[in-house]
Amino acid sequence: MSEKFRLNKGGLINRNKKISFKFNGKKYFGYEGDTLASALIANGVHLVGRSFKYHRPRGFFGAGVDEPYAIVQMNRNNEVDPNVRATEQELFEGLEAKSVNCWPNVDFDIGAINNFLGKFFPAGFYYKTFMWPKSFWYKVYEPIIRKAAGFGAASIKHDKEKYEHKYEYCDLLITGSGPSGLASAYAAAKNGAKIILAEDKSRFGGSLLTSEVTIGNQSGQEWAEKIISELKSMSNVVIKNRSQVFGYYDHNMLVMSERISDHLPKSEKYIPKQRLWYIRAKEVIISSGSIERPLVFGNNDTPGVMLSSAAKEYLKIYGVIVGKKPLVFTNNDSGYETAIEFKKNGIDPIVLDTRKDPNSEIIKEAKDLNINIKTSYVVVTAKGYKKVNSADIAKISDDKKNISNIENIKCDCICVSGFWTPTIHLASQSGNKTKFNEEIDAFIPSQSKQKETTLGSANGTFTLEETLKTSFDKGNELSKQITNKENKVSVPTVVEKKSSNHDKFWCVPLPKGKNYKRFLDFQNDVAVSDIQLALREGYRSIEHVKRYTTLGMATDQGRTSNLNGLQLVSDIENKVVPQVGHTTFRPPYSPVTIGAIVGREIGKHSKPTRKSPMHFWHEKNNAVFVDAGVWLRPRYYKQGNENLFEASKREAKNVRQNVGVCDVTTLGKIDIKGPDAAELLNRVYTNAWLKLPVGKARYGVMLREDGIVMDDGTTTRISENHYHMTTTTAQAANVLSHLEYYLQLVWPELNVNVVSSTEQWAGAAIAGPKSRDVLQKLFPDLDVSNEGLPFMGYMEGNLFGVNAKIFRISFSGELAYEVNVESDNGNFMWEKIIEIGNEFNIQPYGTEALSTLRIEMGHVAGSELDGRTIPYDNSLEGLVSKKKDFIGKRSLSKTAYIAPDRQKIVGVVPLDKKTSIPEGSYIVKDAKAKLPNPKLGHVSASCWSVEYDNPFSLAIIKDGKNMIGQKLFALSPLKNKTIPVEIVSSHYVDPKGERVRS
Amino acid sequence: MLHIKCPHCGLRSQNEFSYGGDAAVKRPELNKEVSDQDWDNFVYLRKSPAGKHLELWQHISGCRQWIKVERDTLTHEIFKTLKASEEA
């Protein structure tokens, strides 16, 4: 297969390495060092996609990040990657890509009918066309728009690739390795500053790779290579290619996405696909260069119309000619550079210059090469559907208002140059107040808010000499302030051709009777007529025009369209561009994959997984786990073919009848020490703590200042000034912060220290009528009788050589103990309990049985302490001291909290004793009342009572205290259930609490 | 992401801290009569200034100390940071 548009020599590609790839199923060849775009153009492929709205054929417009529409869907190593710019995707062996936005294929796209139905797609068409009839939106319009819109389809599979995050600090971050980036980096590096130099392309050097200049006694490209290799050898410099700094955030934090493996057929083992860098820089040098501006004329989106700088880049870097009969349409000298490159490679271009009588060194060189130059000439419209085949050109009057002498000339590409737009996105993101520079018709950075400096063409400096001089100076100056060292390098002499002034002309008028579409925003299909319409309809603010027309939106972020759009608005409004202002530039400058943003925090790694020391025992014994905050807890232990319901019932029943053991390691634990520890507890908990004797535990409830219950748990007095607090699993971290807040800020006079000891202790709850028998055998030397270790008692013991803390506390409502040992001994303790408990029919029980046991006992937990309830609501008012003050007490006297019909916890039993009540159901008086049915409250927790063998739920309902005995209804609109129920006491089992004291 | 100078640990990124609200709020003393209005102001009412604001942060993934940060809510400029015990 021949590459008809590849030159025999030239470019920076590796001609020794041929690479095969597929585009839209067809096989082609390119070379190592190509992009997908350069390889396709070399093969004469110009049609790559269809446009967003009208589905017009689209080709290549740029050669890098400036590309608005050559977006493809990649298939790499069996992974789909949408929204990839063909101009940025480097070629690798076996690459497969396809067009997006077309169906059934790019050559014959049914959506192109939109082009002829254009009147249905005016500016703001989203808000107009699809409004009627209303019912059509979900069924017809939305599915069609969804199918037609967007830039490719994301994969619905799990991404196998790895992505990483990296945090880095540096003295100077330099974004872009063109002349300004290299010069400032070099000067700063010599002063010993720690530097990160980022280049978004694979090759360093920026414009030096394509411009004909001499620096010192070397070509621009050679000079760039020399500087890069020297920088690479310096230990204080990090140089990254394929790395786009896309966001400038507060306090000089910038984020960069490094594409590590996208240019390879697949990622190497242990090497990520992409890496996201969070860089905190003392100073930032923005050397992001500039992007050529398009000229606006009829059908200027036809494949074959492209930026003249892109055509030059394809020639000089890839040895590829974009056409054999090129037309160069320019309003400045840059177009001539491209024309000269064509000419040097044996191709005759025609230059159309909008200026009347331009004169400069470059123009003279073009003339000397006998290039056909037509001045005061414009392209009126491109002709050809899937590729340019000719152009209507015309003479333009001096006032640029009238065109005449329209003629058609053959051409196969049109290279446009409308002068240059500095890339100010990062500067603008940093908060820089940009200003409009009349001389270059563009915005440049002006007043910095953060520590950033913009240099080179990004700052509107278009001569190399000036760029190098200011960049060496700035690099030296900024680094010197940081390192206090100066090792000044001399600025090399520069030879470059002088340019003449550009023409402010940017948009070709329509000939009489013609209605060519003249595009401003190529990516979003916004034409001149759309902006005109928006303004006719009364949109004035540029931000509104942007949103109404979609100008400058999406992944392109107005790189090529922004200024022309502003020009048009200011022309129509008769204002100058700075009055119109530009829209806000937002990160990311260029698309970033979701994978890179997520990094490693995916799946199991999205949060830490905490496992108790007994985890592997649970695993071995068929535990089915459940996430409890960040912990994995056994939900139940499966025996045979049991399901959740059967297993949890068996486990809970065994606790009521014999004895069970539950892993309670996950409970939050806080160690509290100090002479004022009792005073702290007394202020934090609602009940009294000053008289708790050593060796005793107490249940406590703590509130927020607004009176809402924050957490509950038991705290034990280990010794005079030492307490052991437990919290719920979920609230552990919040409670610690809460205590620290009061100790550090509110009551610093209290002499108390608090520290989390959750991970220091492994815990097992032994519960059931036979639990004392088990405990006695575990600690044969201790008196664990009801007198020796009464309810809420505490003692320390020796468990077969291991120190243990024994608490007689109960969540299940049975006689129960919790034994804590140091975490390392957790599994030893657990196995001993199982071994010794065997003769008492001990069984491990999981969180499901635990819930059942506590629900039928009416013990509240997270589903009742849900951040909306006060102690009274949970029937915990008995624990609220009337004598002393504590956090949140003052709130409890609020009118709503003392209302006589205040909500309160109750028990709920279905009348048929069979139907389980879904959690979250409403409790209502009349199941058939008109909607919205006034609800009395909601069901907070449900279980199957093992004591009575029927369903039982807890609910928090209005006037709960007077509702006992009432027949009401539980409604679950979600499950479509209406269940007649009876309200009973929340203490369904053992209401007097005799078992725990037995 | 903000860069906050913890008075105990030095400059650290925002993701090590947790925000704690207005530092100027004073909790009414324990065991003192507090009017409904004063209590409501303490519990619920917060100023939301556009500009300088003294606020609390906890260096939760660091020294766990609560600190005071004087920050401009419009520009994110941090003027100074103080220990819990220090007055602005």
mmCIF file of all heavy atoms in Angstrom, chain A residues 901-922:
data_model
loop_
_atom_site.group_PDB
_atom_site.id
_atom_site.type_symbol
_atom_site.label_atom_id
_atom_site.label_comp_id
_atom_site.label_asym_id
_atom_site.label_seq_id
_atom_site.Cartn_x
_atom_site.Cartn_y
_atom_site.Cartn_z
ATOM 1 N N ASP A 901 -47.180 15.455 71.746
ATOM 2 C CA ASP A 901 -47.325 14.332 70.807
ATOM 3 C C ASP A 901 -46.017 14.064 70.065
ATOM 4 O O ASP A 901 -46.014 13.580 68.946
ATOM 5 C CB ASP A 901 -48.453 14.606 69.809
ATOM 6 C CG ASP A 901 -48.178 15.832 68.962
ATOM 7 O OD1 ASP A 901 -47.204 16.566 69.265
ATOM 8 O OD2 ASP A 901 -48.936 16.060 67.993
ATOM 9 N N ARG A 902 -44.917 14.375 70.716
ATOM 10 C CA ARG A 902 -43.591 14.158 70.127
ATOM 11 C C ARG A 902 -43.428 12.697 69.696
ATOM 12 O O ARG A 902 -43.891 11.776 70.367
ATOM 13 C CB ARG A 902 -42.525 14.534 71.167
ATOM 14 C CG ARG A 902 -41.083 14.258 70.785
ATOM 15 C CD ARG A 902 -40.534 15.274 69.836
ATOM 16 N NE ARG A 902 -39.309 14.787 69.198
ATOM 17 C CZ ARG A 902 -38.700 15.417 68.203
ATOM 18 N NH1 ARG A 902 -39.190 16.550 67.733
ATOM 19 N NH2 ARG A 902 -37.619 14.925 67.663
ATOM 20 N N GLN A 903 -42.730 12.485 68.595
ATOM 21 C CA GLN A 903 -42.508 11.128 68.089
ATOM 22 C C GLN A 903 -41.756 10.272 69.108
ATOM 23 O O GLN A 903 -40.958 10.777 69.887
ATOM 24 C CB GLN A 903 -41.722 11.174 66.781
ATOM 25 C CG GLN A 903 -40.334 11.786 66.916
ATOM 26 C CD GLN A 903 -39.550 11.739 65.622
ATOM 27 O OE1 GLN A 903 -40.048 11.285 64.612
ATOM 28 N NE2 GLN A 903 -38.309 12.199 65.661
ATOM 29 N N LYS A 904 -42.048 8.991 69.082
ATOM 30 C CA LYS A 904 -41.411 8.073 70.018
ATOM 31 C C LYS A 904 -41.339 6.688 69.396
ATOM 32 O O LYS A 904 -42.144 6.328 68.563
ATOM 33 C CB LYS A 904 -42.208 8.027 71.327
ATOM 34 C CG LYS A 904 -41.412 7.503 72.524
ATOM 35 C CD LYS A 904 -42.219 7.682 73.794
ATOM 36 C CE LYS A 904 -41.473 7.356 75.075
ATOM 37 N NZ LYS A 904 -40.173 7.961 75.250
ATOM 38 N N ILE A 905 -40.346 5.945 69.867
ATOM 39 C CA ILE A 905 -40.146 4.608 69.307
ATOM 40 C C ILE A 905 -41.216 3.636 69.815
ATOM 41 O O ILE A 905 -41.592 3.681 70.988
ATOM 42 C CB ILE A 905 -38.725 4.103 69.631
ATOM 43 C CG1 ILE A 905 -38.416 2.821 68.862
ATOM 44 C CG2 ILE A 905 -38.539 3.896 71.131
ATOM 45 C CD1 ILE A 905 -36.948 2.483 68.841
ATOM 46 N N VAL A 906 -41.708 2.804 68.910
ATOM 47 C CA VAL A 906 -42.695 1.772 69.264
ATOM 48 C C VAL A 906 -42.332 0.478 68.547
ATOM 49 O O VAL A 906 -41.482 0.469 67.653
ATOM 50 C CB VAL A 906 -44.129 2.186 68.840
ATOM 51 C CG1 VAL A 906 -44.600 3.397 69.622
ATOM 52 C CG2 VAL A 906 -44.191 2.456 67.337
ATOM 53 N N GLY A 907 -43.006 -0.594 68.944
ATOM 54 C CA GLY A 907 -42.881 -1.855 68.222
ATOM 55 C C GLY A 907 -44.043 -2.004 67.266
ATOM 56 O O GLY A 907 -45.116 -1.446 67.498
ATOM 57 N N VAL A 908 -43.838 -2.716 66.172
ATOM 58 C CA VAL A 908 -44.895 -2.901 65.179
ATOM 59 C C VAL A 908 -44.963 -4.388 64.830
ATOM 60 O O VAL A 908 -43.949 -4.994 64.492
ATOM 61 C CB VAL A 908 -44.598 -2.091 63.898
ATOM 62 C CG1 VAL A 908 -45.744 -2.234 62.899
ATOM 63 C CG2 VAL A 908 -44.353 -0.623 64.216
ATOM 64 N N VAL A 909 -46.163 -4.942 64.940
ATOM 65 C CA VAL A 909 -46.333 -6.357 64.595
ATOM 66 C C VAL A 909 -47.455 -6.461 63.556
ATOM 67 O O VAL A 909 -48.517 -5.858 63.738
ATOM 68 C CB VAL A 909 -46.715 -7.186 65.849
ATOM 69 C CG1 VAL A 909 -46.904 -8.652 65.478
ATOM 70 C CG2 VAL A 909 -45.648 -7.047 66.916
ATOM 71 N N PRO A 910 -47.246 -7.182 62.476
ATOM 72 C CA PRO A 910 -48.331 -7.326 61.480
ATOM 73 C C PRO A 910 -49.471 -8.161 62.070
ATOM 74 O O PRO A 910 -49.208 -9.115 62.793
ATOM 75 C CB PRO A 910 -47.641 -8.054 60.315
ATOM 76 C CG PRO A 910 -46.484 -8.753 60.928
ATOM 77 C CD PRO A 910 -46.026 -7.907 62.086
ATOM 78 N N LEU A 911 -50.687 -7.757 61.746
ATOM 79 C CA LEU A 911 -51.824 -8.471 62.334
ATOM 80 C C LEU A 911 -51.828 -9.942 61.935
ATOM 81 O O LEU A 911 -52.197 -10.793 62.732
ATOM 82 C CB LEU A 911 -53.145 -7.809 61.893
ATOM 83 C CG LEU A 911 -53.408 -6.403 62.454
ATOM 84 C CD1 LEU A 911 -54.789 -5.925 62.042
ATOM 85 C CD2 LEU A 911 -53.266 -6.393 63.975
ATOM 86 N N ASP A 912 -51.385 -10.237 60.732
ATOM 87 C CA ASP A 912 -51.404 -11.648 60.301
ATOM 88 C C ASP A 912 -50.218 -12.432 60.841
ATOM 89 O O ASP A 912 -50.103 -13.636 60.617
ATOM 90 C CB ASP A 912 -51.468 -11.736 58.773
ATOM 91 C CG ASP A 912 -50.185 -11.251 58.106
ATOM 92 O OD1 ASP A 912 -49.238 -10.841 58.826
ATOM 93 O OD2 ASP A 912 -50.122 -11.262 56.856
ATOM 94 N N LYS A 913 -49.333 -11.754 61.552
ATOM 95 C CA LYS A 913 -48.134 -12.384 62.141
ATOM 96 C C LYS A 913 -47.283 -13.104 61.088
ATOM 97 O O LYS A 913 -46.550 -14.031 61.397
ATOM 98 C CB LYS A 913 -48.533 -13.390 63.246
ATOM 99 C CG LYS A 913 -49.326 -12.799 64.386
ATOM 100 C CD LYS A 913 -48.390 -12.228 65.440
ATOM 101 C CE LYS A 913 -49.165 -11.476 66.521
ATOM 102 N NZ LYS A 913 -49.221 -12.181 67.782
ATOM 103 N N LYS A 914 -47.415 -12.697 59.844
ATOM 104 C CA LYS A 914 -46.689 -13.387 58.780
ATOM 105 C C LYS A 914 -45.926 -12.433 57.872
ATOM 106 O O LYS A 914 -44.814 -12.731 57.448
ATOM 107 C CB LYS A 914 -47.681 -14.190 57.912
ATOM 108 C CG LYS A 914 -47.930 -15.591 58.424
ATOM 109 C CD LYS A 914 -48.751 -16.369 57.406
ATOM 110 C CE LYS A 914 -50.041 -16.809 58.078
ATOM 111 N NZ LYS A 914 -51.174 -17.055 57.260
ATOM 112 N N THR A 915 -46.579 -11.290 57.570
ATOM 113 C CA THR A 915 -46.020 -10.432 56.540
ATOM 114 C C THR A 915 -44.919 -9.531 57.115
ATOM 115 O O THR A 915 -45.182 -8.747 58.025
ATOM 116 C CB THR A 915 -47.123 -9.547 55.931
ATOM 117 O OG1 THR A 915 -48.231 -10.376 55.642
ATOM 118 C CG2 THR A 915 -46.634 -8.859 54.665
ATOM 119 N N SER A 916 -43.719 -9.658 56.604
ATOM 120 C CA SER A 916 -42.626 -8.792 57.059
ATOM 121 C C SER A 916 -42.866 -7.372 56.567
ATOM 122 O O SER A 916 -43.336 -7.163 55.445
ATOM 123 C CB SER A 916 -41.288 -9.290 56.511
ATOM 124 O OG SER A 916 -40.924 -10.464 57.194
ATOM 125 N N ILE A 917 -42.534 -6.408 57.399
ATOM 126 C CA ILE A 917 -42.758 -5.003 57.035
ATOM 127 C C ILE A 917 -41.459 -4.419 56.485
ATOM 128 O O ILE A 917 -40.444 -4.421 57.172
ATOM 129 C CB ILE A 917 -43.221 -4.195 58.270
ATOM 130 C CG1 ILE A 917 -44.465 -4.867 58.878
ATOM 131 C CG2 ILE A 917 -43.497 -2.750 57.889
ATOM 132 C CD1 ILE A 917 -44.773 -4.377 60.271
ATOM 133 N N PRO A 918 -41.471 -3.931 55.243
ATOM 134 C CA PRO A 918 -40.233 -3.381 54.683
ATOM 135 C C PRO A 918 -39.741 -2.189 55.497
ATOM 136 O O PRO A 918 -40.542 -1.366 55.937
ATOM 137 C CB PRO A 918 -40.637 -2.942 53.267
ATOM 138 C CG PRO A 918 -41.903 -3.666 52.975
ATOM 139 C CD PRO A 918 -42.581 -3.876 54.282
ATOM 140 N N GLU A 919 -38.435 -2.126 55.715
ATOM 141 C CA GLU A 919 -37.870 -0.969 56.412
ATOM 142 C C GLU A 919 -38.135 0.275 55.572
ATOM 143 O O GLU A 919 -38.056 0.226 54.350
ATOM 144 C CB GLU A 919 -36.371 -1.188 56.636
ATOM 145 C CG GLU A 919 -36.131 -2.260 57.697
ATOM 146 C CD GLU A 919 -34.679 -2.621 57.903
ATOM 147 O OE1 GLU A 919 -33.835 -2.161 57.106
ATOM 148 O OE2 GLU A 919 -34.390 -3.367 58.851
ATOM 149 N N GLY A 920 -38.452 1.353 56.228
ATOM 150 C CA GLY A 920 -38.761 2.584 55.508
ATOM 151 C C GLY A 920 -40.236 2.769 55.238
ATOM 152 O O GLY A 920 -40.642 3.807 54.726
ATOM 153 N N SER A 921 -41.052 1.771 55.570
ATOM 154 C CA SER A 921 -42.514 1.907 55.356
ATOM 155 C C SER A 921 -43.062 3.058 56.184
ATOM 156 O O SER A 921 -42.542 3.362 57.258
ATOM 157 C CB SER A 921 -43.222 0.625 55.774
ATOM 158 O OG SER A 921 -42.832 -0.457 54.969
ATOM 159 N N TYR A 922 -44.148 3.654 55.698
ATOM 160 C CA TYR A 922 -44.853 4.677 56.469
ATOM 161 C C TYR A 922 -45.825 3.998 57.407
ATOM 162 O O TYR A 922 -46.405 2.972 57.069
ATOM 163 C CB TYR A 922 -45.704 5.573 55.553
ATOM 164 C CG TYR A 922 -44.966 6.427 54.589
ATOM 165 C CD1 TYR A 922 -45.594 6.899 53.440
ATOM 166 C CD2 TYR A 922 -43.647 6.795 54.830
ATOM 167 C CE1 TYR A 922 -44.929 7.709 52.546
ATOM 168 C CE2 TYR A 922 -42.970 7.610 53.946
ATOM 169 C CZ TYR A 922 -43.621 8.060 52.800
ATOM 170 O OH TYR A 922 -42.964 8.864 51.928
#
